[in-house]
Amino acid sequence: MDFAILGPVQVTDARRPVRLAAKARAVLGVFLLHPNTVLTRERLIASVWDDPPRSALPNLQTYLTALRRAAIEVETVPHGYRLCLGPDRLDALAFEEAVREARLEAARGEPAAANRLFARALSLWRGRPAEDVTLAATVQARIAELEERRESARLGWIDVRLRLGLYDELVSELTALVEAAPLNERLWHRLMLALHRAGRRAEALEAYRRARSVLVAELALEPGQELRELHAAVLDDGPVPAPELETVREPGWTGICLLPADIADLAGRERETRDLVTALGASEPASGLAADGASGAAAGGMSGGAAGAASGAAANAASGAAAGAARRAAGVAPVIVAVSGPPGVGKTTLAVHVAHLVRDRYPDGQLFVRLHGASATPRDPSDLLAELLRALGVDSAGVPASTEERAATYRAMIADRAVLVLLDDAAGAAQVQPLIPGTPRSAVLLTSRGPLPALPGAVTYALDVPTPAGARALLAGVAGADRVASDPEAAQAILDACGRLPLALRIAGARLATRPAWPLAELARRLADASALNELRAGHLDVRATFEASYATLSPPARHAFRLLGSVAADGVAAWTVAALAGASPYDVDGSLEELAVAGLITAGAADAAAQPRYRMHDLLRGFAGELFHAEESGEHRTAALRRVAAEARARAAGAASELPLAFAPPPLDLPERTPPCPEGGAWLAAERGVLVAVAEAAARAGLVREAAGLAYALAPFLVVRGFHDDVVRMVGTVAHAAATAGDTVTETRLRLVSADAEVDRRRAGTVADEFRHLLGRSSRAGDRHAAAYALLGVAATLEHDLGSALTAATLAAERFQELGDAHGLLSAWTEIAGIQFYLRRHDAVGATCRLALAHLDGHSSLHRARFLRALGIACYETGRVEEAIGHYRASLDLCRELRWETGERLSLHRLAQAEAALGRHDTAIGMLARCARMFVNAGDTRGQALISYTLGEISRWRGDERVALAHFTACLDRLDPLNEHLWSARTRDQIARSRAALR
């Protein structure tokens, strides 16, 4: 039996018409307008009668009986009735299928095939849908929808024929169409285009005149941009491209939807939303998808110590989307997208949002189940399958008994359908596998706290916290944009305290929203003064409770490892750190780390610069782990763990830093033996810098002064050489304070020497002049001649206004280091002496000091060698031996690059450029100076930038351009700090005076 609704309602059986009474035909018309859809009695009555009579229900039953007597198979189903038909039996479905295939052929570049399919589709229309039966006004929207689809198909057919060059055929057809619908600008556009393509330019222009006339007369509107642009092209008699062919669209929504409600204020997740929409195979994001308001990256790592995987997540999603599209095109498997991340990062919220956006891509249904993977008792796959089968209409009595049979029934029910299955909070691949559809048109979007590597073919997406702009938008969306904007500093403090974790931000925003008069600064203060977790509770939302749920699922060893991670405030750790804390080997803790990663409590990121896998944890999670470390570990166990990790960190740091000088203080009595240089040492120290600083500070706060001081002494040289002066000052200050509290004045004094030297290295000698004098007096009174020698050398470094006294003090310090047998201290003293001699313009003495030092360097730091080679080069340059100076500069530069000592590299490169210029190789020198200037700018070194200007001034003078030289010297003086650079300032003023005199 065949049915037709695109015109008068028709029913044929073996090509013979089936006769029905008028009202029965009207009821059939409602079913044909909504094929394969469950229609309730109420909806059927409202569709047949505008004003239903009292007898509407029994009358409806009569009409349904009449349909069944005519062998029309109207099914009785729960909650209503349904007439199941396919494209081979109903013209409306055949029309939709033919249009879909036509657009697909057009997209494939087959316009001839598309032409035939469009012709077949539109030939099915015999008039207005259901035009011979009387239906209620509520049905008119559906009829209008079908007519709109016809017009859309007609336009697609026109565009295809334009591609085929059937212009004369189109002109006559379009002329009739515009007469029937004169306000349709798209039809006027196609008519003009067909006329123009047919060589009838004047008629095309006349068509535009008529179109404009009717639009202005009827609507008081000028033609739209598309029509105006075509008019301009016709006037120019230029080529006009055919309109873009409409892409294939899925039929309207007809399936079951079990998705939770979408969130109205989802902010800060624009990039992630686009990534997931793409990964699920949608051709383009839904129209409601906002533009990305923040730069990617994910995208960098997780800020505030959170898991840093977003930059890789976008790449994973992009490559995964391509793989998913390939699988879909090949028809081999459903796309599976797995979103993982720590608790509270917003996985479920994002997944539900994305699922709503791609509903049209999966019109046969969107299923949703919670797997409770983060609980102590994850749901059994058998129970989940039973829930899904009942949702799909299977009666409870019909649900098979075994898991295998349930999975088979589930796959059979959704086979060859386009269904999206959203699985929230998965425990593992074994729980998920039975829920995956078996055919490629469907897709799975799942969330889990940890990655699911055992799930074959899945696109993995590690969800990061939002970007700073995204996090601020999220907070503003809950608390109010004006309120957040009113106090940006307090808002930033709240964002920092929450670590940009979406759950924490929603709670913070909710607390502010319920207290309209509460200043943002009050919440920021509360979050800073106490544990942030105490303040991050609102109603049923509680960050600590969310963390506790995941912690409760862990095994005892994994819980212990998690607590240990809370002992050190580090952004990310390698396995050796956890092993040292636990008193075990890295192999022994590997299983616990993997369990923590699966639970989403840590994130296993990519290998660091030292090729070590790193494990990262969000700040709030680390705070929670710290609470547990103090609550569940005894004081004895806490101290032992920190002592072990501090000792291990010191041994590793000392070995890795063997290429560097020792710290600026008497070496500890238990200083580890200096080992041969380690080529990977610099990379390891760079990777572990944050951990080593955090371990030193944690050990100091725990009262382990000796262990913390030993680590600080070993680490400080690397931090100074790499320019991390703030780390040195903070770390050493923390340890020195602990030493003072413990009454250990010797250790305190020596640590303060290290801190003051860091300030000298970044050219803040004037700020620590009094500190060195105080430490000199303190160590002298205590009889600590060794510390006094370092303090005296520090005093010499601050006497820039009295170079004679500085040289005397440095020379005396060198004599004391020789007496004490401290070769490192002696080399530091010779470095200072050479610098002072340079400023005194005693260049021969500088050369002698450097050669003496270089002769004593065997077995000592290569950094010392780089310094003395550069200083020797300066001495040679200033005494006219420029070629010899270049050799020393190049040797120094090579050493600096090997050591990754950027400060030394910049200084040596600058001096090398100066020497090249002195030999007349000005272009070579200017190129070097340009590279050097970029390095100074990137380092924020204004003194270096000033010296670049000084050298450019010298080059300009050598080239005979005194006016340009004056400009460079003036720029140099403007950049110099007159308080800390009085010697270079004086030299530059002399050059300015010389230039001005030459220009008079």
Side-chain angles (χ1 to χ4, degrees), residues 683-769:
W684 186 86
L685 286 166
E688 297 290 353
R689 174 176 64 90
V691 173
L692 297 173
V693 170
V695 168
E697 293 178 335
R701 294 189 185 101
L704 301 173
V705 173
R706 185 176 66 84
E707 291 82 355
L711 175 54
Y713 184 91
L715 181 58
F718 168 77
L719 297 176
V720 170
V721 166
R722 292 293 179 89
F724 299 113
H725 300 93
D726 289 337
D727 283 356
V728 178
V729 173
R730 190 187 73 248
M731 173 187 68
V732 172
T734 300
V735 182
H737 176 74
T741 302
D744 187 349
T745 56
V746 172
T747 299
E748 179 199 359
T749 297
R750 297 182 178 202
L751 289 167
R752 288 169 65 177
L753 285 168
V754 175
S755 180
D757 179 65
E759 297 293 1
V760 172
D761 187 78
R762 60 174 162 183
R763 302 197 173 276
R764 295 182 181 177
T767 65
V768 289

Side-chain angles (χ1 to χ4, degrees), residues 737-892:
H737 176 74
T741 302
D744 187 349
T745 56
V746 172
T747 299
E748 179 199 359
T749 297
R750 297 182 178 202
L751 289 167
R752 288 169 65 177
L753 285 168
V754 175
S755 180
D757 179 65
E759 297 293 1
V760 172
D761 187 78
R762 60 174 162 183
R763 302 197 173 276
R764 295 182 181 177
T767 65
V768 289
D770 291 340
E771 171 75 346
F772 275 126
R773 289 188 178 86
H774 170 74
L775 294 174
L776 176 60
R778 185 181 197 184
S779 53
S780 297
R781 289 190 296 272
D784 188 349
R785 296 180 66 246
H786 207 164
Y790 278 96
L792 181 60
L793 184 57
V795 169
T798 67
L799 293 173
E800 293 184 344
H801 297 280
D802 187 353
L803 294 177
S805 298
L807 183 59
T808 300
T811 303
L812 179 58
E815 293 171 357
R816 289 185 180 177
F817 287 132
Q818 283 183 308
E819 294 171 9
L820 293 164
D822 184 348
H824 165 68
L826 180 59
L827 290 170
S828 297
W830 281 339
T831 300
E832 186 63 34
I833 289 170
I836 297 169
Q837 290 169 336
F838 166 73
Y839 282 118
L840 290 171
R841 298 183 180 275
R842 300 176 185 176
H843 301 120
D844 289 335
V846 173
T849 301
C850 291
R851 290 187 176 87
L852 177 64
L854 288 168
H856 285 77
L857 271 175
D858 287 344
H860 290 282
S861 164
S862 297
L863 189 139
H864 278 307
R865 182 177 299 278
R867 280 175 173 161
F868 286 118
L869 283 170
R870 184 177 71 250
L872 181 57
I874 296 172
C876 293
Y877 176 84
E878 294 292 343
T879 54
R881 292 170 292 164
V882 180
E883 291 283 3
E884 184 179 350
I886 287 176
H888 295 314
Y889 290 151
R890 291 193 183 280
S892 175

Side-chain angles (χ1 to χ4, degrees), residues 152-169:
S152 176
R154 187 187 300 278
L155 193 66
W157 189 23
I158 290 169
D159 290 343
V160 164
R161 286 180 286 170
L162 282 170
R163 295 291 177 98
L164 292 170
L166 304 176
Y167 307 129
D168 293 333
E169 170 188 318

Side-chain angles (χ1 to χ4, degrees), residues 284-378:
E284 57 186 49
S287 59
L289 187 58
D292 189 359
S295 69
M302 269 185 131
S303 66
S311 58
N316 285 347
S319 61
R327 287 197 299 274
R328 190 187 302 283
V332 295
V335 171
I336 304 170
V337 180
V339 181
S340 64
V345 81
K347 301 180 293 295
T348 301
T349 301
L350 177 62
V352 169
H353 180 62
V354 169
H356 277 282
L357 289 176
V358 298
R359 281 184 62 190
D360 287 345
R361 180 64 184 80
Y362 302 96
D364 294 324
Q366 301 96 42
L367 306 178
F368 175 85
V369 284
R370 298 187 189 276
L371 279 61
H372 294 172
S375 71
T377 55

Side-chain angles (χ1 to χ4, degrees), residues 415-438:
D416 297 321
R417 295 184 181 273
V419 176
L420 177 65
V421 184
L422 177 49
L423 306 175
D424 183 46
D425 196 15
Q431 185 190 34
V432 169
Q433 196 70 55
L435 309 177
I436 296 175

Side-chain angles (χ1 to χ4, degrees), residues 863-946:
L863 189 139
H864 278 307
R865 182 177 299 278
R867 280 175 173 161
F868 286 118
L869 283 170
R870 184 177 71 250
L872 181 57
I874 296 172
C876 293
Y877 176 84
E878 294 292 343
T879 54
R881 292 170 292 164
V882 180
E883 291 283 3
E884 184 179 350
I886 287 176
H888 295 314
Y889 290 151
R890 291 193 183 280
S892 175
L893 184 61
D894 290 343
L895 277 174
C896 291
R897 287 172 174 166
E898 286 179 18
L899 295 168
R900 296 185 183 179
W901 182 29
E902 294 180 358
T903 300
E905 181 182 356
R906 296 192 298 269
L907 295 175
S908 296
L909 183 59
H910 170 233
R911 286 292 183 177
L912 178 60
Q914 184 186 46
E916 293 284 355
L919 292 177
R921 297 192 279 262
H922 297 153
D923 291 340
T924 300
I926 289 172
M928 289 180 177
L929 290 172
R931 294 197 302 274
C932 194
R934 288 193 294 271
M935 296 170 68
F936 281 123
V937 170
N938 292 337
D941 186 343
T942 54
R943 177 183 186 270
Q945 296 172 54

Side-chain angles (χ1 to χ4, degrees), residues 653-702:
S658 58
E659 280 282 2
L660 304 177
L662 297 176
F664 190 80
L669 296 176
D670 59 346
L671 178 70
E673 184 178 349
R674 299 285 277 179
T675 59
C678 172
E680 300 82 18
W684 186 86
L685 286 166
E688 297 290 353
R689 174 176 64 90
V691 173
L692 297 173
V693 170
V695 168
E697 293 178 335
R701 294 189 185 101

